[in-house]
mmCIF file of all heavy atoms in Angstrom:
data_model
loop_
_atom_site.group_PDB
_atom_site.id
_atom_site.type_symbol
_atom_site.label_atom_id
_atom_site.label_comp_id
_atom_site.label_asym_id
_atom_site.label_seq_id
_atom_site.Cartn_x
_atom_site.Cartn_y
_atom_site.Cartn_z
ATOM 1 N N LYS A 1 -11.642 -12.014 13.674
ATOM 2 C CA LYS A 1 -11.175 -13.371 13.922
ATOM 3 C C LYS A 1 -12.301 -14.375 13.700
ATOM 4 O O LYS A 1 -13.429 -14.195 14.171
ATOM 5 C CB LYS A 1 -10.660 -13.482 15.363
ATOM 6 C CG LYS A 1 -10.029 -14.831 15.678
ATOM 7 C CD LYS A 1 -9.489 -14.854 17.098
ATOM 8 C CE LYS A 1 -8.860 -16.210 17.407
ATOM 9 N NZ LYS A 1 -8.317 -16.252 18.804
ATOM 10 N N ASP A 2 -11.993 -15.394 12.925
ATOM 11 C CA ASP A 2 -12.951 -16.477 12.619
ATOM 12 C C ASP A 2 -14.179 -15.988 11.865
ATOM 13 O O ASP A 2 -15.229 -16.636 11.888
ATOM 14 C CB ASP A 2 -13.398 -17.200 13.907
ATOM 15 C CG ASP A 2 -12.228 -17.819 14.653
ATOM 16 O OD1 ASP A 2 -11.271 -18.268 13.985
ATOM 17 O OD2 ASP A 2 -12.263 -17.824 15.899
ATOM 18 N N GLU A 3 -14.081 -14.841 11.227
ATOM 19 C CA GLU A 3 -15.191 -14.327 10.428
ATOM 20 C C GLU A 3 -14.671 -13.852 9.076
ATOM 21 O O GLU A 3 -13.465 -13.762 8.843
ATOM 22 C CB GLU A 3 -15.899 -13.176 11.152
ATOM 23 C CG GLU A 3 -16.594 -13.576 12.437
ATOM 24 C CD GLU A 3 -17.332 -12.410 13.073
ATOM 25 O OE1 GLU A 3 -17.656 -11.458 12.328
ATOM 26 O OE2 GLU A 3 -17.562 -12.429 14.297
ATOM 27 N N GLN A 4 -15.591 -13.554 8.176
ATOM 28 C CA GLN A 4 -15.247 -13.058 6.853
ATOM 29 C C GLN A 4 -15.746 -11.624 6.692
ATOM 30 O O GLN A 4 -16.741 -11.226 7.313
ATOM 31 C CB GLN A 4 -15.875 -13.947 5.758
ATOM 32 C CG GLN A 4 -15.369 -15.385 5.757
ATOM 33 C CD GLN A 4 -13.902 -15.469 5.398
ATOM 34 O OE1 GLN A 4 -13.392 -14.675 4.602
ATOM 35 N NE2 GLN A 4 -13.205 -16.449 5.987
ATOM 36 N N LEU A 5 -15.037 -10.872 5.885
ATOM 37 C CA LEU A 5 -15.507 -9.527 5.572
ATOM 38 C C LEU A 5 -16.730 -9.594 4.687
ATOM 39 O O LEU A 5 -16.874 -10.501 3.866
ATOM 40 C CB LEU A 5 -14.395 -8.739 4.866
ATOM 41 C CG LEU A 5 -13.128 -8.431 5.675
ATOM 42 C CD1 LEU A 5 -12.101 -7.747 4.777
ATOM 43 C CD2 LEU A 5 -13.445 -7.547 6.873
ATOM 44 N N THR A 6 -17.631 -8.633 4.849
ATOM 45 C CA THR A 6 -18.808 -8.577 3.997
ATOM 46 C C THR A 6 -18.397 -8.127 2.587
ATOM 47 O O THR A 6 -17.277 -7.645 2.371
ATOM 48 C CB THR A 6 -19.840 -7.594 4.561
ATOM 49 O OG1 THR A 6 -19.298 -6.268 4.515
ATOM 50 C CG2 THR A 6 -20.191 -7.960 6.012
ATOM 51 N N ILE A 7 -19.298 -8.254 1.654
ATOM 52 C CA ILE A 7 -19.023 -7.822 0.280
ATOM 53 C C ILE A 7 -18.730 -6.323 0.240
ATOM 54 O O ILE A 7 -17.816 -5.872 -0.458
ATOM 55 C CB ILE A 7 -20.208 -8.151 -0.645
ATOM 56 C CG1 ILE A 7 -20.429 -9.672 -0.729
ATOM 57 C CG2 ILE A 7 -19.967 -7.575 -2.041
ATOM 58 C CD1 ILE A 7 -19.249 -10.423 -1.314
ATOM 59 N N ASP A 8 -19.486 -5.561 1.015
ATOM 60 C CA ASP A 8 -19.248 -4.117 1.060
ATOM 61 C C ASP A 8 -17.873 -3.807 1.638
ATOM 62 O O ASP A 8 -17.165 -2.905 1.143
ATOM 63 C CB ASP A 8 -20.330 -3.428 1.905
ATOM 64 C CG ASP A 8 -21.673 -3.392 1.204
ATOM 65 O OD1 ASP A 8 -21.701 -3.613 -0.028
ATOM 66 O OD2 ASP A 8 -22.692 -3.145 1.874
ATOM 67 N N GLN A 9 -17.474 -4.512 2.680
ATOM 68 C CA GLN A 9 -16.163 -4.291 3.282
ATOM 69 C C GLN A 9 -15.040 -4.684 2.324
ATOM 70 O O GLN A 9 -14.021 -3.996 2.239
ATOM 71 C CB GLN A 9 -16.043 -5.073 4.587
ATOM 72 C CG GLN A 9 -16.894 -4.523 5.720
ATOM 73 C CD GLN A 9 -16.875 -5.425 6.939
ATOM 74 O OE1 GLN A 9 -16.796 -6.651 6.827
ATOM 75 N NE2 GLN A 9 -16.978 -4.812 8.122
ATOM 76 N N GLN A 10 -15.245 -5.781 1.600
ATOM 77 C CA GLN A 10 -14.247 -6.191 0.619
ATOM 78 C C GLN A 10 -14.120 -5.163 -0.499
ATOM 79 O O GLN A 10 -13.007 -4.866 -0.962
ATOM 80 C CB GLN A 10 -14.615 -7.558 0.047
ATOM 81 C CG GLN A 10 -14.525 -8.700 1.036
ATOM 82 C CD GLN A 10 -14.954 -10.029 0.434
ATOM 83 O OE1 GLN A 10 -14.767 -10.284 -0.760
ATOM 84 N NE2 GLN A 10 -15.544 -10.885 1.246
ATOM 85 N N SER A 11 -15.236 -4.614 -0.934
ATOM 86 C CA SER A 11 -15.208 -3.589 -1.981
ATOM 87 C C SER A 11 -14.515 -2.326 -1.476
ATOM 88 O O SER A 11 -13.718 -1.705 -2.189
ATOM 89 C CB SER A 11 -16.641 -3.259 -2.430
ATOM 90 O OG SER A 11 -17.284 -4.418 -2.947
ATOM 91 N N TYR A 12 -14.834 -1.967 -0.216
ATOM 92 C CA TYR A 12 -14.185 -0.793 0.394
ATOM 93 C C TYR A 12 -12.673 -0.988 0.444
ATOM 94 O O TYR A 12 -11.898 -0.089 0.095
ATOM 95 C CB TYR A 12 -14.752 -0.582 1.792
ATOM 96 C CG TYR A 12 -14.010 0.464 2.599
ATOM 97 C CD1 TYR A 12 -14.305 1.819 2.486
ATOM 98 C CD2 TYR A 12 -13.000 0.073 3.496
ATOM 99 C CE1 TYR A 12 -13.621 2.767 3.225
ATOM 100 C CE2 TYR A 12 -12.311 1.023 4.235
ATOM 101 C CZ TYR A 12 -12.616 2.359 4.104
ATOM 102 O OH TYR A 12 -11.936 3.286 4.839
ATOM 103 N N ASN A 13 -12.238 -2.168 0.872
ATOM 104 C CA ASN A 13 -10.802 -2.443 0.982
ATOM 105 C C ASN A 13 -10.125 -2.425 -0.384
ATOM 106 O O ASN A 13 -8.975 -1.990 -0.515
ATOM 107 C CB ASN A 13 -10.571 -3.799 1.646
ATOM 108 C CG ASN A 13 -10.746 -3.736 3.158
ATOM 109 O OD1 ASN A 13 -10.997 -2.665 3.711
ATOM 110 N ND2 ASN A 13 -10.613 -4.868 3.824
ATOM 111 N N ALA A 14 -10.833 -2.891 -1.408
ATOM 112 C CA ALA A 14 -10.254 -2.898 -2.756
ATOM 113 C C ALA A 14 -10.019 -1.478 -3.259
ATOM 114 O O ALA A 14 -8.965 -1.173 -3.830
ATOM 115 C CB ALA A 14 -11.175 -3.663 -3.716
ATOM 116 N N ILE A 15 -11.014 -0.613 -3.028
ATOM 117 C CA ILE A 15 -10.870 0.790 -3.446
ATOM 118 C C ILE A 15 -9.792 1.475 -2.616
ATOM 119 O O ILE A 15 -8.934 2.192 -3.143
ATOM 120 C CB ILE A 15 -12.217 1.528 -3.307
ATOM 121 C CG1 ILE A 15 -13.253 0.921 -4.265
ATOM 122 C CG2 ILE A 15 -12.043 3.017 -3.593
ATOM 123 C CD1 ILE A 15 -14.658 1.450 -4.069
ATOM 124 N N HIS A 16 -9.816 1.224 -1.307
ATOM 125 C CA HIS A 16 -8.828 1.825 -0.415
ATOM 126 C C HIS A 16 -7.412 1.402 -0.810
ATOM 127 O O HIS A 16 -6.488 2.216 -0.895
ATOM 128 C CB HIS A 16 -9.118 1.404 1.030
ATOM 129 C CG HIS A 16 -8.259 2.073 2.059
ATOM 130 N ND1 HIS A 16 -6.951 1.695 2.307
ATOM 131 C CD2 HIS A 16 -8.520 3.102 2.927
ATOM 132 C CE1 HIS A 16 -6.450 2.451 3.259
ATOM 133 N NE2 HIS A 16 -7.370 3.317 3.652
ATOM 134 N N GLY A 17 -7.248 0.108 -1.096
ATOM 135 C CA GLY A 17 -5.932 -0.404 -1.475
ATOM 136 C C GLY A 17 -5.437 0.162 -2.793
ATOM 137 O O GLY A 17 -4.255 0.455 -2.954
ATOM 138 N N ALA A 18 -6.361 0.341 -3.730
ATOM 139 C CA ALA A 18 -5.974 0.887 -5.037
ATOM 140 C C ALA A 18 -5.500 2.328 -4.917
ATOM 141 O O ALA A 18 -4.604 2.757 -5.656
ATOM 142 C CB ALA A 18 -7.161 0.803 -5.997
ATOM 143 N N LEU A 19 -6.079 3.081 -3.990
ATOM 144 C CA LEU A 19 -5.661 4.467 -3.769
ATOM 145 C C LEU A 19 -4.400 4.538 -2.909
ATOM 146 O O LEU A 19 -3.470 5.286 -3.192
ATOM 147 C CB LEU A 19 -6.786 5.262 -3.099
ATOM 148 C CG LEU A 19 -8.075 5.451 -3.906
ATOM 149 C CD1 LEU A 19 -9.148 6.106 -3.042
ATOM 150 C CD2 LEU A 19 -7.807 6.300 -5.143
ATOM 151 N N ARG A 20 -4.383 3.713 -1.856
ATOM 152 C CA ARG A 20 -3.280 3.804 -0.900
ATOM 153 C C ARG A 20 -1.966 3.251 -1.459
ATOM 154 O O ARG A 20 -0.886 3.725 -1.093
ATOM 155 C CB ARG A 20 -3.640 3.018 0.365
ATOM 156 C CG ARG A 20 -2.686 3.253 1.541
ATOM 157 C CD ARG A 20 -2.902 2.251 2.656
ATOM 158 N NE ARG A 20 -2.397 0.928 2.321
ATOM 159 C CZ ARG A 20 -3.138 -0.129 2.088
ATOM 160 N NH1 ARG A 20 -4.451 -0.042 2.147
ATOM 161 N NH2 ARG A 20 -2.595 -1.294 1.795
ATOM 162 N N CYS A 21 -2.050 2.272 -2.338
ATOM 163 C CA CYS A 21 -0.827 1.623 -2.826
ATOM 164 C C CYS A 21 0.099 2.601 -3.547
ATOM 165 O O CYS A 21 1.310 2.373 -3.632
ATOM 166 C CB CYS A 21 -1.168 0.455 -3.740
ATOM 167 S SG CYS A 21 -1.863 0.927 -5.346
ATOM 168 N N LEU A 22 -0.461 3.700 -4.052
ATOM 169 C CA LEU A 22 0.379 4.679 -4.742
ATOM 170 C C LEU A 22 1.347 5.359 -3.782
ATOM 171 O O LEU A 22 2.353 5.933 -4.202
ATOM 172 C CB LEU A 22 -0.494 5.724 -5.437
ATOM 173 C CG LEU A 22 -1.342 5.191 -6.595
ATOM 174 C CD1 LEU A 22 -2.259 6.287 -7.132
ATOM 175 C CD2 LEU A 22 -0.466 4.663 -7.709
ATOM 176 N N GLY A 23 1.041 5.280 -2.470
ATOM 177 C CA GLY A 23 1.964 5.831 -1.492
ATOM 178 C C GLY A 23 3.299 5.104 -1.492
ATOM 179 O O GLY A 23 4.335 5.678 -1.127
ATOM 180 N N GLU A 24 3.297 3.833 -1.899
ATOM 181 C CA GLU A 24 4.555 3.089 -1.992
ATOM 182 C C GLU A 24 5.470 3.699 -3.045
ATOM 183 O O GLU A 24 6.693 3.553 -2.973
ATOM 184 C CB GLU A 24 4.265 1.625 -2.344
ATOM 185 C CG GLU A 24 3.493 0.860 -1.292
ATOM 186 C CD GLU A 24 4.321 0.592 -0.043
ATOM 187 O OE1 GLU A 24 5.562 0.708 -0.113
ATOM 188 O OE2 GLU A 24 3.719 0.292 1.012
ATOM 189 N N ARG A 25 4.888 4.398 -4.005
ATOM 190 C CA ARG A 25 5.702 5.032 -5.046
ATOM 191 C C ARG A 25 6.598 6.104 -4.448
ATOM 192 O O ARG A 25 7.735 6.292 -4.896
ATOM 193 C CB ARG A 25 4.795 5.652 -6.110
ATOM 194 C CG ARG A 25 5.548 6.414 -7.198
ATOM 195 C CD ARG A 25 4.599 6.972 -8.249
ATOM 196 N NE ARG A 25 5.336 7.704 -9.276
ATOM 197 C CZ ARG A 25 5.528 9.026 -9.269
ATOM 198 N NH1 ARG A 25 5.041 9.753 -8.282
ATOM 199 N NH2 ARG A 25 6.197 9.612 -10.236
ATOM 200 N N ALA A 26 6.099 6.809 -3.437
ATOM 201 C CA ALA A 26 6.900 7.863 -2.807
ATOM 202 C C ALA A 26 8.162 7.288 -2.186
ATOM 203 O O ALA A 26 9.266 7.809 -2.382
ATOM 204 C CB ALA A 26 6.063 8.590 -1.759
ATOM 205 N N ASN A 27 8.003 6.193 -1.435
ATOM 206 C CA ASN A 27 9.165 5.560 -0.820
ATOM 207 C C ASN A 27 10.116 5.028 -1.874
ATOM 208 O O ASN A 27 11.337 5.177 -1.768
ATOM 209 C CB ASN A 27 8.708 4.418 0.096
ATOM 210 C CG ASN A 27 7.755 4.885 1.176
ATOM 211 O OD1 ASN A 27 7.754 6.057 1.550
ATOM 212 N ND2 ASN A 27 6.944 3.975 1.687
ATOM 213 N N SER A 28 9.550 4.404 -2.899
ATOM 214 C CA SER A 28 10.381 3.836 -3.961
ATOM 215 C C SER A 28 11.104 4.918 -4.742
ATOM 216 O O SER A 28 12.278 4.758 -5.105
ATOM 217 C CB SER A 28 9.512 2.997 -4.909
ATOM 218 O OG SER A 28 10.266 2.483 -5.980
ATOM 219 N N LEU A 29 10.424 6.022 -4.988
ATOM 220 C CA LEU A 29 11.025 7.107 -5.768
ATOM 221 C C LEU A 29 12.250 7.668 -5.058
ATOM 222 O O LEU A 29 13.286 7.931 -5.692
ATOM 223 C CB LEU A 29 9.989 8.209 -5.993
ATOM 224 C CG LEU A 29 10.376 9.351 -6.935
ATOM 225 C CD1 LEU A 29 10.699 8.815 -8.320
ATOM 226 C CD2 LEU A 29 9.248 10.360 -7.014
ATOM 227 N N LEU A 30 12.164 7.831 -3.764
ATOM 228 C CA LEU A 30 13.304 8.343 -3.008
ATOM 229 C C LEU A 30 14.473 7.362 -3.035
ATOM 230 O O LEU A 30 15.625 7.742 -3.255
ATOM 231 C CB LEU A 30 12.886 8.632 -1.566
ATOM 232 C CG LEU A 30 12.023 9.874 -1.340
ATOM 233 C CD1 LEU A 30 11.419 9.866 0.059
ATOM 234 C CD2 LEU A 30 12.838 11.145 -1.546
ATOM 235 N N LYS A 31 14.169 6.081 -2.848
ATOM 236 C CA LYS A 31 15.245 5.090 -2.745
ATOM 237 C C LYS A 31 15.855 4.729 -4.093
ATOM 238 O O LYS A 31 17.056 4.444 -4.182
ATOM 239 C CB LYS A 31 14.712 3.824 -2.064
ATOM 240 C CG LYS A 31 14.396 4.009 -0.593
ATOM 241 C CD LYS A 31 13.898 2.717 0.022
ATOM 242 C CE LYS A 31 13.600 2.888 1.506
ATOM 243 N NZ LYS A 31 13.088 1.642 2.117
ATOM 244 N N THR A 32 15.046 4.722 -5.139
ATOM 245 C CA THR A 32 15.601 4.393 -6.457
ATOM 246 C C THR A 32 16.362 5.568 -7.053
ATOM 247 O O THR A 32 17.328 5.370 -7.797
ATOM 248 C CB THR A 32 14.493 3.956 -7.428
ATOM 249 O OG1 THR A 32 13.479 4.974 -7.506
ATOM 250 C CG2 THR A 32 13.861 2.649 -6.991
ATOM 251 N N THR A 33 15.942 6.788 -6.729
ATOM 252 C CA THR A 33 16.655 7.964 -7.231
ATOM 253 C C THR A 33 17.973 8.159 -6.500
ATOM 254 O O THR A 33 18.996 8.476 -7.125
ATOM 255 C CB THR A 33 15.787 9.231 -7.079
ATOM 256 O OG1 THR A 33 14.541 9.040 -7.757
ATOM 257 C CG2 THR A 33 16.498 10.436 -7.691
ATOM 258 N N TYR A 34 17.943 7.951 -5.188
ATOM 259 C CA TYR A 34 19.135 8.203 -4.371
ATOM 260 C C TYR A 34 19.591 6.899 -3.715
ATOM 261 O O TYR A 34 19.017 6.457 -2.713
ATOM 262 C CB TYR A 34 18.835 9.284 -3.333
ATOM 263 C CG TYR A 34 18.373 10.569 -3.975
ATOM 264 C CD1 TYR A 34 17.044 10.974 -3.900
ATOM 265 C CD2 TYR A 34 19.263 11.348 -4.707
ATOM 266 C CE1 TYR A 34 16.615 12.133 -4.514
ATOM 267 C CE2 TYR A 34 18.842 12.513 -5.335
ATOM 268 C CZ TYR A 34 17.518 12.893 -5.239
ATOM 269 O OH TYR A 34 17.100 14.041 -5.874
ATOM 270 N N ARG A 35 20.626 6.326 -4.294
ATOM 271 C CA ARG A 35 21.111 5.023 -3.844
ATOM 272 C C ARG A 35 21.582 5.048 -2.393
ATOM 273 O O ARG A 35 21.561 4.030 -1.703
ATOM 274 C CB ARG A 35 22.254 4.559 -4.755
ATOM 275 C CG ARG A 35 22.730 3.145 -4.492
ATOM 276 C CD ARG A 35 23.713 2.698 -5.545
ATOM 277 N NE ARG A 35 23.070 2.608 -6.847
ATOM 278 C CZ ARG A 35 23.702 2.225 -7.951
ATOM 279 N NH1 ARG A 35 24.996 1.934 -7.907
ATOM 280 N NH2 ARG A 35 23.052 2.151 -9.098
ATOM 281 N N ALA A 36 22.008 6.223 -1.915
ATOM 282 C CA ALA A 36 22.485 6.327 -0.527
ATOM 283 C C ALA A 36 21.395 5.982 0.476
ATOM 284 O O ALA A 36 21.690 5.668 1.631
ATOM 285 C CB ALA A 36 23.013 7.733 -0.266
ATOM 286 N N LEU A 37 20.116 6.043 0.058
ATOM 287 C CA LEU A 37 19.016 5.750 0.964
ATOM 288 C C LEU A 37 18.702 4.263 1.038
ATOM 289 O O LEU A 37 17.838 3.855 1.821
ATOM 290 C CB LEU A 37 17.755 6.519 0.543
ATOM 291 C CG LEU A 37 17.861 8.042 0.471
ATOM 292 C CD1 LEU A 37 16.493 8.645 0.179
ATOM 293 C CD2 LEU A 37 18.434 8.617 1.757
ATOM 294 N N ARG A 38 19.358 3.459 0.229
ATOM 295 C CA ARG A 38 19.075 2.023 0.259
ATOM 296 C C ARG A 38 19.776 1.334 1.426
ATOM 297 O O ARG A 38 19.289 0.345 1.958
ATOM 298 C CB ARG A 38 19.504 1.383 -1.060
ATOM 299 C CG ARG A 38 18.790 1.973 -2.267
ATOM 300 C CD ARG A 38 19.268 1.337 -3.553
ATOM 301 N NE ARG A 38 18.879 2.129 -4.714
ATOM 302 C CZ ARG A 38 19.246 1.864 -5.954
ATOM 303 N NH1 ARG A 38 20.017 0.803 -6.201
ATOM 304 N NH2 ARG A 38 18.860 2.642 -6.957
ATOM 305 N N ARG A 39 20.928 1.852 1.790
ATOM 306 C CA ARG A 39 21.656 1.315 2.946
ATOM 307 C C ARG A 39 22.621 2.393 3.427
ATOM 308 O O ARG A 39 23.511 2.805 2.683
ATOM 309 C CB ARG A 39 22.410 0.041 2.586
ATOM 310 C CG ARG A 39 23.059 -0.634 3.796
ATOM 311 C CD ARG A 39 23.905 -1.811 3.366
ATOM 312 N NE ARG A 39 24.431 -2.522 4.513
ATOM 313 C CZ ARG A 39 23.981 -3.689 4.959
ATOM 314 N NH1 ARG A 39 22.980 -4.275 4.321
ATOM 315 N NH2 ARG A 39 24.526 -4.279 5.989
#
């Protein structure tokens, strides 16, 4: 709160986000393949 992330922390978050975002593919793959899971 009221502070900024350091350059190292920002770099860590960028790498972490690039790896973690692929997890969204798992959720999307299930829902796009099987329409019954959308609602």
Side-chain angles (χ1 to χ4, degrees):
K1 185 178 180 180
D2 300 326
E3 295 183 23
Q4 297 294 327
L5 295 175
T6 65
I7 297 298
D8 288 344
Q9 289 173 326
Q10 293 178 32
S11 300
Y12 171 85
N13 282 358
I15 296 172
H16 186 282
L19 295 173
R20 191 192 73 250
C21 70
L22 293 175
E24 295 290 343
R25 176 178 180 265
N27 302 336
S28 177
L29 187 59
L30 286 167
K31 290 181 179 179
T32 55
T33 303
Y34 302 107
R35 187 172 295 181
L37 302 186
R38 300 179 196 175
R39 186 186 185 105

